[in-house]
Amino acid sequence: MKESKILIVDDESQFIKIILNILREHENYTLIVATSGEQALKTVKEYDFDLILLDIIMEPMDGYEVCRILQADERTKYIPIIFLTAKNGHVSIAKGFEAGSVDYITKPFFEDELLARVRTHIKLKQHEDEQQMKIDDGVLELQKLNKEIIATQKEVIFTLGAIGEFRSQETGQHVKRVAEYTYLLAKLSGVSEEKAQLMKMASPMHDIGKIGIADSILNKPGKLTPAEWEIMQTHVNLGYEMLRHSKRPILKMATDIALHHHEKYNGKGYPNQLQGEEISLCGRITALADVFDALGSVRPYKERWNDEDILEYIKSQSAKQFDPKLVALFFENIHQFFKIRDKYSEKE
């Protein structure tokens, strides 16, 4: 892993020396200093920084302005910025976050506090960079497969969807069942045959982002920690980023499904807390289809639920997790869903 680079921006030499001494004593970072906002903006053009420690009270350009300029630049907007300053009022802190900082440390600061915050944001930046590399690799791979997708896109999409399920110790049968449930719900909802078929072919991609999640989290046989759960949730955006560049109808729909299938009808889902019909219909349909199948399947973190508990759960989540109209259609035609489940059982 590359050595992390940190830019320290402060016009007071005594604080620069303190920061340098603390970080050099405990960590092996590459440390670069700028003594003004103008110098900082020039320096960021020369190096790829992993973190910026930025003073606020500087002249003629203060830290707020420097931060806003960095945030407005596509090349520097993702560099985390920690404000280091004697301004400790809540208004100043709020102004710092509004400008785009990720953290705020007041002077004088404790050595262990500085080290802990720097280490935390360096690790977060490293994780984001790793995820971006995976996204870029996924996009490149999809582009290489473009010619084959033209001729065999249904098979390729199904295969890619199965990869995500396989990594989380799920089976190809899960993908088939979710595809069939999605098609059935789409038709019951009054969707045209063409669009229902499109949903069926795109739904296997709903969890494609899981290929970017570490096995230790994906297959953990127990409850995830808050930090692990936060990483797990990123599979939605990972899937979206992998798929969003395509203009092909199936992949465009798969993009919506990947992004929306963990949103909840009451607005308490993720990643964007969409509510009701703000969530795409294909996302709402796949969400119900996926949960119905997942509850009846064994996962590393749970046993298979019985049918009574599954149906009771889905009923209880009407207008909460699921679209109430879809829940009603599901129960009105429950025998058809069980028929699909039996046809594509794990014994096959």
Side-chain angles (χ1 to χ4, degrees):
M1 184 176 294
K2 70 180 181 68
E3 191 174 273
S4 298
K5 290 185 179 67
I6 300 176
L7 175 61
I8 302 167
V9 188
D10 202 313
D11 59 359
E12 296 186 45
S13 59
Q14 61 179 15
F15 280 109
I16 290 176
K17 290 178 181 178
I18 292 172
I19 296 168
L20 289 173
N21 289 336
I22 292 174
L23 295 180
R24 283 171 176 166
E25 181 180 353
H26 295 279
E27 297 291 347
N28 188 32
Y29 299 135
T30 297
L31 305 174
I32 298 174
V33 172
T35 56
S36 69
E38 294 85 350
Q39 186 182 2
L41 294 177
K42 291 180 181 178
T43 305
V44 295
K45 296 179 181 179
E46 301 175 14
Y47 304 94
D48 292 325
F49 288 103
D50 299 286
L51 182 66
I52 297 175
L53 301 178
L54 178 61
D55 185 28
I56 290 179
I57 307 174
M58 298 184 294
E59 293 184 354
M61 182 183 294
D62 66 16
Y64 294 134
E65 185 175 355
V66 173
C67 187
R68 283 191 287 267
I69 292 173
L70 292 172
Q71 287 291 296
D73 189 326
E74 192 65 31
R75 200 180 71 83
T76 58
K77 66 185 296 185
Y78 297 109
I79 303 174
I81 297 171
I82 299 178
F83 276 131
L84 285 171
T85 182
K87 295 172 73 70
N88 59 4
H90 74 278
V91 174
S92 297
I93 294 174
K95 188 176 179 181
F97 285 120
E98 288 173 2
S101 70
V102 297
D103 211 339
Y104 199 108
I105 304 176
T106 56
K107 300 176 181 178
F109 47 79
F110 294 103
E111 177 178 318
D112 56 352
E113 179 186 13
L114 175 65
L115 284 170
R117 291 176 186 259
V118 167
R119 287 167 179 163
T120 294
H121 289 291
I122 287 291
K123 287 181 180 178
L124 287 172
K125 180 63 164 57
Q126 289 172 343
H127 173 71
E128 289 174 359
D129 289 345
E130 289 169 1
Q131 297 307 308
Q132 187 60 51
M133 288 179 63
K134 291 175 181 177
I135 290 170
D136 292 341
D137 289 344
V139 170
L140 286 174
E141 185 62 24
L142 286 174
Q143 290 174 340
K144 290 177 182 178
L145 291 172
N146 189 52
K147 290 184 179 179
E148 183 178 349
I149 290 174
I150 293 175
T152 61
Q153 53 185 317
K154 180 179 178 180
E155 290 78 8
V156 171
I157 288 174
F158 184 87
T159 300
L160 288 174
I163 290 173
E165 308 301 341
F166 176 77
R167 288 202 61 246
S168 56
Q169 296 185 9
E170 296 167 10
T171 70
Q173 296 300 87
H174 168 69
V175 175
K176 290 180 182 178
R177 289 192 297 266
V178 171
E180 294 293 339
Y181 298 149
T182 297
Y183 172 77
L184 176 56
L185 265 177
K187 290 296 292 180
L188 292 172
S189 301
V191 171
S192 68
E193 175 65 21
E194 181 181 0
K195 191 171 182 179
Q197 287 289 350
L198 206 60
M199 289 187 189
K200 177 180 177 179
M201 289 187 283
S203 65
M205 299 289 276
H206 65 281
D207 274 337
I208 187 64
K210 286 183 178 179
I211 66 174
I213 305 299
D215 286 339
S216 59
I217 294 176
L218 198 60
N219 296 316
K220 183 177 180 180
K223 186 176 181 180
L224 298 178
T225 66
E228 290 170 335
W229 176 236
E230 187 173 340
I231 292 173
M232 175 64 88
Q233 288 179 318
T234 65
H235 84 274
V236 171
N237 284 317
L238 285 173
Y240 169 76
E241 290 295 334
M242 290 176 186
L243 299 169
R244 71 183 180 89
H245 301 282
S246 176
K247 294 181 180 180
R248 298 194 176 282
I250 294 177
L251 290 182
K252 287 177 70 175
M253 181 163 287
T255 301
D256 285 341
I257 291 173
L259 186 62
H260 289 171
H261 75 285
H262 280 295
E263 298 286 1
K264 294 185 178 181
Y265 197 79
N266 62 5
K268 296 182 179 180
Y270 65 89
N272 297 313
Q273 293 78 54
L274 300 180
Q275 188 173 6
E277 294 188 4
E278 292 177 341
I279 309 166
S280 64
L281 178 60
C282 57
R284 282 178 274 148
I285 286 175
T286 304
L288 179 53
D290 184 37
V291 170
F292 171 61
D293 196 71
L295 293 179
S297 306
V298 176
R299 294 289 186 270
Y301 52 87
K302 74 168 190 68
E303 295 299 321
R304 180 185 293 108
W305 288 26
N306 62 49
D307 289 346
E308 183 178 349
D309 289 339
I310 292 172
L311 299 182
E312 183 59 35
Y313 176 80
I314 291 175
K315 186 180 297 183
S316 72
Q317 292 302 305
S318 178
K320 296 178 182 178
Q321 183 173 356
F322 306 122
D323 183 334
K325 294 179 181 177
L326 295 178
V327 172
L329 290 171
F330 172 81
F331 279 102
E332 289 170 8
N333 300 274
I334 189 63
H335 65 286
Q336 294 188 57
F337 289 91
F338 283 139
K339 186 176 180 180
I340 292 171
R341 188 180 68 177
D342 293 340
K343 180 178 179 179
Y344 296 102
S345 69
E346 301 301 330
K347 296 178 182 179
E348 186 176 310

